[in-house]
Amino acid sequence: EPEVTQTPSHQVTQMGQEVILRCVPISNHLYFYWYRQILGQKVEFLVSFYNNEISEKSEIFDDQFSVERPDGSNFTLKIRSTKLEDSAMYFCASSAEGSGVNTQYFGPGTRLTVL
Amino acid sequence: AQSVTQLDSQVPVFEEAPVELRCNYSSSVSVYLFWYVQYPNQGLQLLLKYLSGSTLVKGINGFEAEFNKSQTSFHLRKPSVHISDTAEYFCAVSDVQGAQKLVFGQGTRLTINP
């Protein structure tokens, strides 16, 4: 069964450093998402991406964040200058279409630790 | 804007006992409703979803949920749980009118004791 994969599973970085979290969505999916979960808190929407542009973003997704689909398979989340409060589990998801009727399939997540 | 509340952060249950995980939502527009499960070291997996029609929705692994519009609830139930059901369960909503994002509750950790 096709699945969403994410690398790395755990990333440790120093405050102020740039990090890139990588995701490989399901191959025939067209809509891509990033969510995050700070320890002990809710899973929060960050951004959705379709047709090579952002379709929606949350207030969390400020200028420090960017997303990219550099090739036909990868979908990346970049944090330019990490802060302590960026420490969280980051989940990538994809869906065949953008309507809510279409299931979003999630990856296993990348745990980001900012020291 | 929508919000989701899962009242129970942890639910311990004995094996073969029934379980109900509670979910209430708030929204000014019509929503779709979802339950996701996260097993240890895995991603979120869809258990079931309510889009329209019958308010009782059946999902994978013997779970079901009932949509109650008047109480704005979407509680998840299973009549007899197994050790393998130990996981974190997330309730979520999305806007019917096209906004793609899922709004999640804080999750309920279900622990099955032998």
Side-chain angles (χ1 to χ4, degrees), chain B:
Chain B
Q2 297 95 34
S3 68
V4 178
T5 301
Q6 293 180 245
L7 293 169
D8 306 303
S9 59
Q10 296 187 57
V11 173
V13 182
F14 286 109
E15 195 172 15
E16 297 183 10
V19 69
E20 178 179 83
L21 305 184
R22 296 179 292 170
C23 172
N24 288 89
Y25 70 93
S26 172
S27 177
S28 57
V29 298
S30 296
V31 295
Y32 297 130
L33 296 144
F34 307 82
W35 275 99
Y36 279 83
V37 60
Q38 185 180 29
Y39 299 106
N41 300 315
Q42 295 186 30
L44 299 167
Q45 179 183 0
L46 183 70
L47 267 181
L48 48 79
K49 60 184 178 183
Y50 172 79
L51 304 179
S52 64
S54 172
T55 58
L56 183 64
V57 181
K58 294 189 183 298
I60 62 171
N61 301 338
F63 284 92
E64 64 181 31
E66 186 155 21
F67 170 54
N68 187 319
K69 188 174 183 179
S70 63
Q71 297 187 9
T72 61
S73 68
F74 190 54
H75 300 331
L76 181 70
R77 303 187 187 100
K78 185 170 183 178
S80 176
V81 295
H82 302 286
I83 293 285
S84 59
D85 293 323
T86 296
E88 187 97 17
Y89 291 80
F90 296 92
C91 182
V93 301
S94 71
D95 183 353
V96 164
Q97 291 301 318
Q100 303 154 7
K101 66 180 181 184
L102 291 169
V103 176
F104 285 89
Q106 60 267 57
T108 298
R109 181 170 299 279
L110 177 64
T111 303
I112 311 300
N113 299 306

Side-chain angles (χ1 to χ4, degrees), chain A residues 8-107:
Chain A
S9 57
H10 192 186
Q11 173 99 40
V12 180
T13 189
Q14 296 291 325
M15 189 170 55
Q17 294 297 304
E18 175 183 286
V19 295
I20 298 176
L21 309 183
R22 290 182 168 80
C23 169
V24 178
I26 294 173
S27 62
N28 62 344
H29 283 185
L30 301 176
Y31 291 80
F32 314 112
Y33 314 84
W34 284 101
Y35 293 82
R36 79 172 185 189
Q37 185 181 29
I38 295 172
L39 189 63
Q41 298 186 25
K42 298 184 179 187
V43 176
E44 303 170 288
F45 169 79
L46 292 178
V47 66
S48 58
F49 189 86
Y50 169 70
N51 199 25
N52 281 320
E53 60 182 31
I54 291 172
S55 51
E56 187 178 0
K57 61 182 181 180
S58 72
E59 293 176 354
I60 304 167
F61 195 88
D62 61 22
D63 292 344
Q64 291 299 311
F65 291 88
S66 63
V67 289
E68 191 179 27
R69 189 152 163 82
D71 52 42
S73 59
N74 289 282
F75 179 52
T76 62
L77 174 70
K78 181 192 291 186
I79 309 175
R80 289 189 182 81
S81 178
T82 51
K83 306 170 190 168
L84 295 176
E85 55 265 36
D86 293 328
S87 294
M89 180 73 88
Y90 288 80
F91 294 104
C92 173
S94 69
S95 64
E97 296 179 27
S99 169
V101 300
N102 290 283
T103 298
Q104 291 185 28
Y105 292 85
F106 284 77

